[in-house]
Amino acid sequence: MREFVVFTEAGADLSPQYIASHDIRVIPQHYTIDGEEYGGDKVLSPEKFYGKMRGGSRPVTKACDPRVIEQMYRDAIGEKKDILQIGYDAGLSATVDAEKLIASVLMQQLPGSRIVVIDSFSASLGEGVLAAHAQELKESGATLDETVKEIEGLAPHMSVVSAVPDAHYLYRSGRLTRASVRLSPRTRVKPLIHLDTVGEIKVISRNQGQNQLFTGMIEYMEKTIGSWRDKQLRVGIVHSDCMEAALQLQEIIKERFGYDDIFIAPLGPALGTYLGPDTLSLIFLADER
């Protein structure tokens, strides 16, 4: 039985500390802001990135470079390892389709190699929680096939719900229409949104204050969590430079659901570009999406 290695992408928003303590390979993603390109070893801190957005800068993200993906796969195969790639939702990015194509070509070129690519149907820590779970299954002795079966069963249930303080970012990115959030140039609509199973952003509710957004997120979690209430892997909270609000949400979840294993992480540029500053996203397993 060959050893395998878990791959994910920078958009999974796993912390550098977690990545450093586990053998997870992270494919870099690049973005441009104010005419300068970042990614890989050259990154902006969340405070600087969202500070620029608050000042009017408009970042542009890129799909992961296929040449980098191929080389990273070749490096792992050269180590005599199989590959399990947990990919960003195909409805949001072309990267997972590129990963599947590269995997197919390499397995033809390099007999005996094996690369399995799984669409996480998710983004940010939704993808990250799945990648972390795959790594922890591997470390506990699970085979590649056992791990693939587990992750494929979980991925369709990974729910991402976000409280967005300014829908104009979503509108400018093309992710929402003005009509879907009743947006006009002079209004600041604060929608509660979720990511469905085909990568489309759907509006749950509109025009809520901060406390109402917290209530809306928790009510949505209560409504959709179903049979997963007592078998969560871990809950994720990501924030675009609003740590205080993330900690408040964490305490509410602990009190309401009794969960202690909660990841909190900054929302990276892959999704933060479209959601904007001061956004909170809640990630959990649910029966409904």
Side-chain angles (χ1 to χ4, degrees):
M1 181 180 67
R2 279 169 49 119
E3 185 181 352
F4 69 95
V5 62
V6 176
F7 275 71
T8 190
E9 299 129 7
D13 291 337
L14 287 171
S15 72
Q17 294 80 9
Y18 186 89
I19 292 166
S21 62
H22 299 271
D23 184 25
I24 296 180
R25 313 285 172 96
V26 179
I27 298 171
Q29 182 177 14
H30 288 246
Y31 58 94
T32 301
I33 188 167
D34 292 340
E36 190 163 358
E37 184 167 316
Y38 297 87
D41 294 331
K42 181 184 178 182
V43 296
L44 285 172
S45 69
E47 295 79 11
K48 289 183 178 179
F49 178 78
Y50 291 111
K52 284 177 174 288
M53 289 189 74
R54 291 186 185 101
S57 299
R58 297 188 182 184
V60 177
T61 60
K62 299 180 179 180
C64 297
D65 188 335
R67 296 167 298 181
V68 173
I69 297 170
E70 180 180 347
Q71 188 57 57
M72 292 181 70
Y73 285 179
R74 286 185 178 275
D75 290 344
I77 292 168
E79 298 167 13
K80 308 298 182 185
K81 294 178 180 179
D82 292 330
I83 295 168
L84 173 56
Q85 170 75 61
I86 312 298
Y88 207 80
D89 191 310
L92 295 175
S93 171
T95 296
V96 74
D97 290 330
E99 290 163 349
K100 289 178 179 179
L101 178 59
I102 293 165
S104 176
V105 170
L106 288 180
M107 286 190 289
Q108 291 178 27
Q109 292 179 351
L110 303 170
S113 61
R114 188 177 179 203
I115 306 171
V116 180
V117 180
I118 298 176
D119 186 338
S120 69
F121 301 117
S122 194
S124 186
L125 272 183
E127 177 186 356
V129 166
L130 291 175
H133 186 54
Q135 177 65 24
E136 289 158 10
L137 287 171
K138 171 195 163 184
E139 291 172 359
S140 70
T143 66
L144 176 56
D145 286 333
E146 290 168 341
T147 304
V148 167
K149 183 178 179 180
E150 173 87 356
I151 299 302
E152 286 182 334
L154 293 170
H157 297 283
M158 190 60 71
S159 184
V160 180
V161 58
S162 301
V164 181
D166 189 346
H168 284 90
Y169 291 103
L170 283 164
Y171 168 69
R172 287 197 295 261
S173 72
R175 297 294 180 180
L176 286 180
T177 64
R178 286 192 186 277
S180 66
V181 286
R182 300 171 189 167
L183 186 65
S184 73
R186 296 183 180 180
T187 61
R188 188 177 181 186
V189 178
K190 301 178 180 181
L192 189 66
I193 62 172
H194 76 99
L195 184 65
D196 71 10
T197 54
V198 294
E200 292 186 359
I201 292 174
K202 302 295 185 182
V203 177
I204 300 169
S205 58
R206 302 166 179 82
N207 274 331
Q208 299 192 57
Q210 185 74 39
N211 291 335
Q212 290 174 308
L213 285 171
F214 279 169
T215 301
M217 295 176 91
I218 298 302
E219 287 179 349
Y220 183 79
M221 190 175 183
E222 285 272 19
K223 177 183 175 182
T224 60
I225 196 169
S227 64
W228 294 96
R229 188 181 187 106
D230 297 323
K231 51 182 181 180
Q232 290 290 319
L233 297 177
R234 50 172 61 89
V235 171
I237 298 173
V238 287
H239 65 95
S240 46
D241 195 26
C242 52
M243 184 63 170
E244 184 177 341
L247 291 171
Q248 286 181 287
L249 182 59
Q250 180 188 46
E251 289 306 311
I252 293 170
I253 292 169
K254 284 182 177 181
E255 182 177 341
R256 180 71 67 90
F257 295 94
Y259 300 144
D260 291 318
D261 195 1
I262 300 175
F263 271 177
I264 296 183
L267 182 63
L271 192 58
T273 292
Y274 305 107
L275 300 183
D278 304 310
T279 292
L280 275 178
S281 294
L282 177 61
I283 294 107
F284 57 97
L285 288 165
D287 281 342
E288 299 178 37
R289 281 188 61 179

